[in-house]
Amino acid sequence: CLDAKRELMRKGHRAQDIDFPLLWITHVAKTFESGKQRSASALKWYFDTLLALVPQGAKAPKSYEAFAAAADAYHEAGGFPVETLNEIGNLILGTPEFAIQRMEEVRNDMGQQEVILWMQVGGLDDAHVRDSMRLFAEEVMPRFKGQAPVVPAALLQAKAS
């Protein structure tokens, strides 16, 4: 994402005007363990289904090579634990404080201003989705209200060079 933003800056766009939406599968709970317990089977179903649809081998178009490699790794490992998916940034699963930390990281590191949160994934129970949405609205959103866009240092350095 930073490389794409750098290229747009080389073409004359202002760093503070460059923003790409970021989609995150998100489940916020009072504790990581309760969030994991509530969402693990839905997340497993989603990733099993999605990665089973990725063309692989000779059928994989050149543009799908990275997806095919990820699907191969996923299937060879027998799936990835939700902890792994959380650590590598594929989802936000945890407490409101964890959600704030993860969102601040991409805001500060990449200047991310716009996120799309996918909270109803893989048949997740409606009551759990609503609870996650309530926690997000009450405890995470206020942290970002009224904040001006951030231009990360990496982009400022690119502009100077």
Side-chain angles (χ1 to χ4, degrees), residues 93-118:
L93 173 61
T95 64
E97 294 78 20
F98 176 77
I100 290 168
Q101 175 190 350
R102 179 61 53 88
M103 293 179 80
E104 283 180 338
E105 286 172 5
V106 298
R107 183 174 188 273
N108 295 332
D109 293 350
M110 299 183 340
Q112 193 67 38
Q113 300 171 58
E114 186 176 339
V115 294
I116 302 167
L117 304 177
W118 184 6

PDB file of all heavy atoms in Angstrom, residues 93-118:
ATOM      1  N   LEU A  93      -9.320  -9.383  15.773  1.00  0.00           N
ATOM      2  CA  LEU A  93     -10.053 -10.220  16.711  1.00  0.00           C
ATOM      3  C   LEU A  93      -9.470  -9.956  18.090  1.00  0.00           C
ATOM      4  O   LEU A  93      -8.302 -10.246  18.342  1.00  0.00           O
ATOM      5  CB  LEU A  93      -9.897 -11.705  16.353  1.00  0.00           C
ATOM      6  CG  LEU A  93     -10.470 -12.699  17.357  1.00  0.00           C
ATOM      7  CD1 LEU A  93     -11.976 -12.513  17.527  1.00  0.00           C
ATOM      8  CD2 LEU A  93     -10.157 -14.124  16.931  1.00  0.00           C
ATOM      9  N   GLY A  94     -10.277  -9.347  18.938  1.00  0.00           N
ATOM     10  CA  GLY A  94      -9.775  -9.064  20.276  1.00  0.00           C
ATOM     11  C   GLY A  94     -10.589  -8.009  20.979  1.00  0.00           C
ATOM     12  O   GLY A  94     -11.718  -7.722  20.622  1.00  0.00           O
ATOM     13  N   THR A  95      -9.968  -7.420  21.956  1.00  0.00           N
ATOM     14  CA  THR A  95     -10.603  -6.421  22.805  1.00  0.00           C
ATOM     15  C   THR A  95     -10.705  -5.079  22.076  1.00  0.00           C
ATOM     16  O   THR A  95     -10.028  -4.859  21.064  1.00  0.00           O
ATOM     17  CB  THR A  95      -9.768  -6.218  24.079  1.00  0.00           C
ATOM     18  OG1 THR A  95      -8.494  -5.694  23.696  1.00  0.00           O
ATOM     19  CG2 THR A  95      -9.603  -7.507  24.865  1.00  0.00           C
ATOM     20  N   PRO A  96     -11.522  -4.170  22.597  1.00  0.00           N
ATOM     21  CA  PRO A  96     -11.543  -2.829  22.013  1.00  0.00           C
ATOM     22  C   PRO A  96     -10.141  -2.193  21.994  1.00  0.00           C
ATOM     23  O   PRO A  96      -9.775  -1.533  21.020  1.00  0.00           O
ATOM     24  CB  PRO A  96     -12.500  -2.058  22.924  1.00  0.00           C
ATOM     25  CG  PRO A  96     -13.419  -3.104  23.460  1.00  0.00           C
ATOM     26  CD  PRO A  96     -12.546  -4.321  23.644  1.00  0.00           C
ATOM     27  N   GLU A  97      -9.361  -2.430  23.033  1.00  0.00           N
ATOM     28  CA  GLU A  97      -8.006  -1.862  23.091  1.00  0.00           C
ATOM     29  C   GLU A  97      -7.136  -2.415  21.951  1.00  0.00           C
ATOM     30  O   GLU A  97      -6.349  -1.685  21.353  1.00  0.00           O
ATOM     31  CB  GLU A  97      -7.355  -2.166  24.441  1.00  0.00           C
ATOM     32  CG  GLU A  97      -8.026  -1.497  25.626  1.00  0.00           C
ATOM     33  CD  GLU A  97      -9.313  -2.189  26.093  1.00  0.00           C
ATOM     34  OE1 GLU A  97      -9.531  -3.387  25.777  1.00  0.00           O
ATOM     35  OE2 GLU A  97     -10.122  -1.516  26.762  1.00  0.00           O
ATOM     36  N   PHE A  98      -7.288  -3.711  21.650  1.00  0.00           N
ATOM     37  CA  PHE A  98      -6.537  -4.304  20.547  1.00  0.00           C
ATOM     38  C   PHE A  98      -6.971  -3.695  19.219  1.00  0.00           C
ATOM     39  O   PHE A  98      -6.137  -3.382  18.365  1.00  0.00           O
ATOM     40  CB  PHE A  98      -6.724  -5.828  20.514  1.00  0.00           C
ATOM     41  CG  PHE A  98      -6.041  -6.470  19.343  1.00  0.00           C
ATOM     42  CD1 PHE A  98      -4.669  -6.667  19.345  1.00  0.00           C
ATOM     43  CD2 PHE A  98      -6.767  -6.868  18.228  1.00  0.00           C
ATOM     44  CE1 PHE A  98      -4.029  -7.236  18.252  1.00  0.00           C
ATOM     45  CE2 PHE A  98      -6.136  -7.439  17.130  1.00  0.00           C
ATOM     46  CZ  PHE A  98      -4.765  -7.628  17.145  1.00  0.00           C
ATOM     47  N   ALA A  99      -8.276  -3.502  19.032  1.00  0.00           N
ATOM     48  CA  ALA A  99      -8.784  -2.896  17.797  1.00  0.00           C
ATOM     49  C   ALA A  99      -8.219  -1.482  17.627  1.00  0.00           C
ATOM     50  O   ALA A  99      -7.797  -1.098  16.532  1.00  0.00           O
ATOM     51  CB  ALA A  99     -10.309  -2.877  17.794  1.00  0.00           C
ATOM     52  N   ILE A 100      -8.196  -0.726  18.706  1.00  0.00           N
ATOM     53  CA  ILE A 100      -7.626   0.627  18.659  1.00  0.00           C
ATOM     54  C   ILE A 100      -6.155   0.558  18.266  1.00  0.00           C
ATOM     55  O   ILE A 100      -5.699   1.298  17.384  1.00  0.00           O
ATOM     56  CB  ILE A 100      -7.802   1.344  20.011  1.00  0.00           C
ATOM     57  CG1 ILE A 100      -9.275   1.678  20.237  1.00  0.00           C
ATOM     58  CG2 ILE A 100      -6.931   2.595  20.090  1.00  0.00           C
ATOM     59  CD1 ILE A 100      -9.604   2.125  21.658  1.00  0.00           C
ATOM     60  N   GLN A 101      -5.406  -0.322  18.909  1.00  0.00           N
ATOM     61  CA  GLN A 101      -3.972  -0.459  18.611  1.00  0.00           C
ATOM     62  C   GLN A 101      -3.750  -0.821  17.139  1.00  0.00           C
ATOM     63  O   GLN A 101      -2.919  -0.212  16.458  1.00  0.00           O
ATOM     64  CB  GLN A 101      -3.364  -1.537  19.504  1.00  0.00           C
ATOM     65  CG  GLN A 101      -1.917  -1.844  19.184  1.00  0.00           C
ATOM     66  CD  GLN A 101      -1.426  -3.092  19.924  1.00  0.00           C
ATOM     67  OE1 GLN A 101      -2.089  -3.625  20.802  1.00  0.00           O
ATOM     68  NE2 GLN A 101      -0.266  -3.551  19.540  1.00  0.00           N
ATOM     69  N   ARG A 102      -4.485  -1.796  16.633  1.00  0.00           N
ATOM     70  CA  ARG A 102      -4.310  -2.225  15.241  1.00  0.00           C
ATOM     71  C   ARG A 102      -4.651  -1.092  14.270  1.00  0.00           C
ATOM     72  O   ARG A 102      -3.940  -0.838  13.303  1.00  0.00           O
ATOM     73  CB  ARG A 102      -5.185  -3.460  14.988  1.00  0.00           C
ATOM     74  CG  ARG A 102      -5.159  -4.047  13.601  1.00  0.00           C
ATOM     75  CD  ARG A 102      -3.812  -4.559  13.119  1.00  0.00           C
ATOM     76  NE  ARG A 102      -3.130  -5.485  13.965  1.00  0.00           N
ATOM     77  CZ  ARG A 102      -3.276  -6.805  13.954  1.00  0.00           C
ATOM     78  NH1 ARG A 102      -4.133  -7.367  13.158  1.00  0.00           N
ATOM     79  NH2 ARG A 102      -2.566  -7.554  14.758  1.00  0.00           N
ATOM     80  N   MET A 103      -5.733  -0.371  14.550  1.00  0.00           N
ATOM     81  CA  MET A 103      -6.133   0.722  13.665  1.00  0.00           C
ATOM     82  C   MET A 103      -5.155   1.894  13.747  1.00  0.00           C
ATOM     83  O   MET A 103      -4.873   2.533  12.734  1.00  0.00           O
ATOM     84  CB  MET A 103      -7.562   1.145  13.981  1.00  0.00           C
ATOM     85  CG  MET A 103      -8.560   0.044  13.635  1.00  0.00           C
ATOM     86  SD  MET A 103     -10.249   0.477  14.007  1.00  0.00           S
ATOM     87  CE  MET A 103     -10.599   1.492  12.578  1.00  0.00           C
ATOM     88  N   GLU A 104      -4.625   2.165  14.932  1.00  0.00           N
ATOM     89  CA  GLU A 104      -3.615   3.217  15.057  1.00  0.00           C
ATOM     90  C   GLU A 104      -2.346   2.853  14.292  1.00  0.00           C
ATOM     91  O   GLU A 104      -1.702   3.719  13.700  1.00  0.00           O
ATOM     92  CB  GLU A 104      -3.293   3.489  16.521  1.00  0.00           C
ATOM     93  CG  GLU A 104      -4.349   4.309  17.212  1.00  0.00           C
ATOM     94  CD  GLU A 104      -4.057   4.588  18.672  1.00  0.00           C
ATOM     95  OE1 GLU A 104      -3.273   3.829  19.296  1.00  0.00           O
ATOM     96  OE2 GLU A 104      -4.632   5.561  19.194  1.00  0.00           O
ATOM     97  N   GLU A 105      -1.978   1.567  14.294  1.00  0.00           N
ATOM     98  CA  GLU A 105      -0.785   1.132  13.559  1.00  0.00           C
ATOM     99  C   GLU A 105      -0.915   1.452  12.077  1.00  0.00           C
ATOM    100  O   GLU A 105      -0.004   2.048  11.493  1.00  0.00           O
ATOM    101  CB  GLU A 105      -0.566  -0.375  13.736  1.00  0.00           C
ATOM    102  CG  GLU A 105      -0.043  -0.771  15.088  1.00  0.00           C
ATOM    103  CD  GLU A 105      -0.026  -2.283  15.299  1.00  0.00           C
ATOM    104  OE1 GLU A 105      -0.340  -3.042  14.353  1.00  0.00           O
ATOM    105  OE2 GLU A 105       0.294  -2.701  16.423  1.00  0.00           O
ATOM    106  N   VAL A 106      -2.024   1.081  11.459  1.00  0.00           N
ATOM    107  CA  VAL A 106      -2.152   1.340  10.018  1.00  0.00           C
ATOM    108  C   VAL A 106      -2.374   2.819   9.743  1.00  0.00           C
ATOM    109  O   VAL A 106      -1.970   3.324   8.701  1.00  0.00           O
ATOM    110  CB  VAL A 106      -3.243   0.477   9.334  1.00  0.00           C
ATOM    111  CG1 VAL A 106      -2.910  -0.993   9.433  1.00  0.00           C
ATOM    112  CG2 VAL A 106      -4.615   0.777   9.853  1.00  0.00           C
ATOM    113  N   ARG A 107      -2.975   3.509  10.672  1.00  0.00           N
ATOM    114  CA  ARG A 107      -3.149   4.957  10.500  1.00  0.00           C
ATOM    115  C   ARG A 107      -1.785   5.655  10.518  1.00  0.00           C
ATOM    116  O   ARG A 107      -1.486   6.480   9.666  1.00  0.00           O
ATOM    117  CB  ARG A 107      -4.029   5.514  11.621  1.00  0.00           C
ATOM    118  CG  ARG A 107      -4.314   6.988  11.479  1.00  0.00           C
ATOM    119  CD  ARG A 107      -5.324   7.411  12.553  1.00  0.00           C
ATOM    120  NE  ARG A 107      -5.745   8.773  12.308  1.00  0.00           N
ATOM    121  CZ  ARG A 107      -5.085   9.842  12.770  1.00  0.00           C
ATOM    122  NH1 ARG A 107      -4.008   9.700  13.493  1.00  0.00           N
ATOM    123  NH2 ARG A 107      -5.525  11.055  12.504  1.00  0.00           N
ATOM    124  N   ASN A 108      -0.953   5.287  11.483  1.00  0.00           N
ATOM    125  CA  ASN A 108       0.349   5.932  11.604  1.00  0.00           C
ATOM    126  C   ASN A 108       1.366   5.410  10.591  1.00  0.00           C
ATOM    127  O   ASN A 108       2.159   6.183  10.059  1.00  0.00           O
ATOM    128  CB  ASN A 108       0.888   5.764  13.027  1.00  0.00           C
ATOM    129  CG  ASN A 108       0.035   6.478  14.041  1.00  0.00           C
ATOM    130  OD1 ASN A 108      -0.624   7.474  13.735  1.00  0.00           O
ATOM    131  ND2 ASN A 108      -0.002   5.972  15.243  1.00  0.00           N
ATOM    132  N   ASP A 109       1.371   4.100  10.330  1.00  0.00           N
ATOM    133  CA  ASP A 109       2.354   3.518   9.417  1.00  0.00           C
ATOM    134  C   ASP A 109       2.044   3.804   7.954  1.00  0.00           C
ATOM    135  O   ASP A 109       2.948   4.017   7.153  1.00  0.00           O
ATOM    136  CB  ASP A 109       2.441   1.994   9.598  1.00  0.00           C
ATOM    137  CG  ASP A 109       3.003   1.604  10.953  1.00  0.00           C
ATOM    138  OD1 ASP A 109       3.501   2.483  11.684  1.00  0.00           O
ATOM    139  OD2 ASP A 109       2.937   0.406  11.278  1.00  0.00           O
ATOM    140  N   MET A 110       0.746   3.777   7.592  1.00  0.00           N
ATOM    141  CA  MET A 110       0.372   3.913   6.187  1.00  0.00           C
ATOM    142  C   MET A 110      -0.482   5.135   5.903  1.00  0.00           C
ATOM    143  O   MET A 110      -0.852   5.379   4.772  1.00  0.00           O
ATOM    144  CB  MET A 110      -0.409   2.673   5.722  1.00  0.00           C
ATOM    145  CG  MET A 110       0.369   1.399   5.820  1.00  0.00           C
ATOM    146  SD  MET A 110      -0.468  -0.088   5.199  1.00  0.00           S
ATOM    147  CE  MET A 110      -2.178   0.259   5.181  1.00  0.00           C
ATOM    148  N   GLY A 111      -0.846   5.868   6.948  1.00  0.00           N
ATOM    149  CA  GLY A 111      -1.716   7.014   6.746  1.00  0.00           C
ATOM    150  C   GLY A 111      -3.150   6.597   6.449  1.00  0.00           C
ATOM    151  O   GLY A 111      -3.923   7.355   5.864  1.00  0.00           O
ATOM    152  N   GLN A 112      -3.509   5.376   6.849  1.00  0.00           N
ATOM    153  CA  GLN A 112      -4.849   4.855   6.549  1.00  0.00           C
ATOM    154  C   GLN A 112      -5.908   5.724   7.190  1.00  0.00           C
ATOM    155  O   GLN A 112      -5.853   6.012   8.380  1.00  0.00           O
ATOM    156  CB  GLN A 112      -4.971   3.421   7.049  1.00  0.00           C
ATOM    157  CG  GLN A 112      -6.179   2.702   6.525  1.00  0.00           C
ATOM    158  CD  GLN A 112      -6.088   2.472   5.031  1.00  0.00           C
ATOM    159  OE1 GLN A 112      -5.025   2.194   4.494  1.00  0.00           O
ATOM    160  NE2 GLN A 112      -7.191   2.610   4.348  1.00  0.00           N
ATOM    161  N   GLN A 113      -6.876   6.148   6.383  1.00  0.00           N
ATOM    162  CA  GLN A 113      -7.940   7.009   6.873  1.00  0.00           C
ATOM    163  C   GLN A 113      -9.300   6.344   6.782  1.00  0.00           C
ATOM    164  O   GLN A 113     -10.234   6.733   7.472  1.00  0.00           O
ATOM    165  CB  GLN A 113      -7.975   8.307   6.057  1.00  0.00           C
ATOM    166  CG  GLN A 113      -6.680   9.092   6.129  1.00  0.00           C
ATOM    167  CD  GLN A 113      -6.684  10.224   5.141  1.00  0.00           C
ATOM    168  OE1 GLN A 113      -7.568  11.067   5.187  1.00  0.00           O
ATOM    169  NE2 GLN A 113      -5.717  10.248   4.254  1.00  0.00           N
ATOM    170  N   GLU A 114      -9.421   5.373   5.916  1.00  0.00           N
ATOM    171  CA  GLU A 114     -10.718   4.763   5.658  1.00  0.00           C
ATOM    172  C   GLU A 114     -10.620   3.250   5.827  1.00  0.00           C
ATOM    173  O   GLU A 114      -9.760   2.608   5.227  1.00  0.00           O
ATOM    174  CB  GLU A 114     -11.139   5.093   4.227  1.00  0.00           C
ATOM    175  CG  GLU A 114     -12.503   4.668   3.850  1.00  0.00           C
ATOM    176  CD  GLU A 114     -12.863   5.112   2.443  1.00  0.00           C
ATOM    177  OE1 GLU A 114     -12.255   6.054   1.910  1.00  0.00           O
ATOM    178  OE2 GLU A 114     -13.767   4.489   1.877  1.00  0.00           O
ATOM    179  N   VAL A 115     -11.490   2.692   6.654  1.00  0.00           N
ATOM    180  CA  VAL A 115     -11.529   1.244   6.837  1.00  0.00           C
ATOM    181  C   VAL A 115     -12.966   0.763   6.652  1.00  0.00           C
ATOM    182  O   VAL A 115     -13.918   1.488   6.927  1.00  0.00           O
ATOM    183  CB  VAL A 115     -10.998   0.790   8.213  1.00  0.00           C
ATOM    184  CG1 VAL A 115      -9.525   1.073   8.353  1.00  0.00           C
ATOM    185  CG2 VAL A 115     -11.790   1.390   9.341  1.00  0.00           C
ATOM    186  N   ILE A 116     -13.066  -0.451   6.163  1.00  0.00           N
ATOM    187  CA  ILE A 116     -14.354  -1.127   6.042  1.00  0.00           C
ATOM    188  C   ILE A 116     -14.272  -2.332   6.969  1.00  0.00           C
ATOM    189  O   ILE A 116     -13.348  -3.137   6.851  1.00  0.00           O
ATOM    190  CB  ILE A 116     -14.607  -1.580   4.593  1.00  0.00           C
ATOM    191  CG1 ILE A 116     -14.574  -0.382   3.643  1.00  0.00           C
ATOM    192  CG2 ILE A 116     -15.927  -2.343   4.496  1.00  0.00           C
ATOM    193  CD1 ILE A 116     -14.511  -0.762   2.175  1.00  0.00           C
ATOM    194  N   LEU A 117     -15.193  -2.425   7.898  1.00  0.00           N
ATOM    195  CA  LEU A 117     -15.183  -3.524   8.859  1.00  0.00           C
ATOM    196  C   LEU A 117     -16.259  -4.533   8.474  1.00  0.00           C
ATOM    197  O   LEU A 117     -17.438  -4.190   8.368  1.00  0.00           O
ATOM    198  CB  LEU A 117     -15.440  -3.003  10.271  1.00  0.00           C
ATOM    199  CG  LEU A 117     -14.481  -1.930  10.757  1.00  0.00           C
ATOM    200  CD1 LEU A 117     -14.876  -1.451  12.137  1.00  0.00           C
ATOM    201  CD2 LEU A 117     -13.053  -2.429  10.734  1.00  0.00           C
ATOM    202  N   TRP A 118     -15.837  -5.770   8.277  1.00  0.00           N
ATOM    203  CA  TRP A 118     -16.761  -6.854   7.955  1.00  0.00           C
ATOM    204  C   TRP A 118     -16.979  -7.618   9.245  1.00  0.00           C
ATOM    205  O   TRP A 118     -16.103  -8.332   9.706  1.00  0.00           O
ATOM    206  CB  TRP A 118     -16.160  -7.713   6.874  1.00  0.00           C
ATOM    207  CG  TRP A 118     -17.039  -8.802   6.371  1.00  0.00           C
ATOM    208  CD1 TRP A 118     -18.338  -9.050   6.685  1.00  0.00           C
ATOM    209  CD2 TRP A 118     -16.664  -9.807   5.434  1.00  0.00           C
ATOM    210  NE1 TRP A 118     -18.792 -10.142   6.015  1.00  0.00           N
ATOM    211  CE2 TRP A 118     -17.781 -10.631   5.232  1.00  0.00           C
ATOM    212  CE3 TRP A 118     -15.483 -10.098   4.755  1.00  0.00           C
ATOM    213  CZ2 TRP A 118     -17.759 -11.725   4.376  1.00  0.00           C
ATOM    214  CZ3 TRP A 118     -15.465 -11.177   3.909  1.00  0.00           C
ATOM    215  CH2 TRP A 118     -16.595 -11.971   3.713  1.00  0.00           C
TER     216      TRP A 118
END
